[in-house]
C-alpha cells in the first residue's frame, strides 16, 4: 500500500505506541512525521489474523482487507501497529498509529 509499517508486541516496544496521539511527532530514518490518526479495533476472533475487526470509535465491522486499506493506504506514511490487551487476552484488539511526513 506504500506505507512503512512497524509491528511490535504490546508488552515490549509496542507498549509505547498506545501513548501517542494525533499531533505528536515521531522520527524515522531522518524524517519527522506527524501522527494524524490513532485507530483501535476489537478483533472479533482474536486468534484469527483473517478475522473481522470492529472499529471501537464507530462500531463498524470491517474485514482485514478493509482495515488494511484504511490504515496502510496512505503512500509515504509510517504506521505503528500493536495488539490491544484486554480482559486477560493479549490479542483482544489492534492499535494503529498513522503518521505522515512533516512535523
Amino acid at each position: 500500500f506504500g506505507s512503512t509499517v512497524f509491528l511490535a508486541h504490546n508488552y515490549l516496544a509496542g507498549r509505547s505506541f498506545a501513548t501517542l496521539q494525533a499531533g505528536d511527532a515521531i522520527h524515522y530514518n531522518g524524517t519527522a512525521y506527524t501522527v494524524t490518526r490513532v485507530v483501535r479495533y476489537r478483533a472479533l476472533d482474536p486468534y484469527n489474523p483473517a478475522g473481522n475487526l470492529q472499529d471501537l470509535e464507530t462500531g463498524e465491522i470491517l474485514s482485514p482487507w478493509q482495515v488494511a486499506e484504511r490504515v496502510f493506504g496512505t503512500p509515504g506514511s509510517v504506521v505503528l501497529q500493536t495488539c490491544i490487551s484486554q480482559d486477560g487476552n493479549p490479542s483482544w484488539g489492534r492499535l494503529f498509529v498513522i503518521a505522515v511526513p512533516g512535523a
Side-chain angles (χ1 to χ4, degrees), residues 40-42 44 52-63 66-67 70:
R40 292 171 176 81
Y41 295 95
R42 179 174 69 96
L44 299 182
N52 289 337
L53 300 152
Q54 181 178 29
D55 186 310
L56 292 177
E57 186 175 316
T58 68
E60 183 178 16
I61 305 293
L62 302 164
S63 72
Q66 290 171 307
V67 171
R70 289 184 183 190

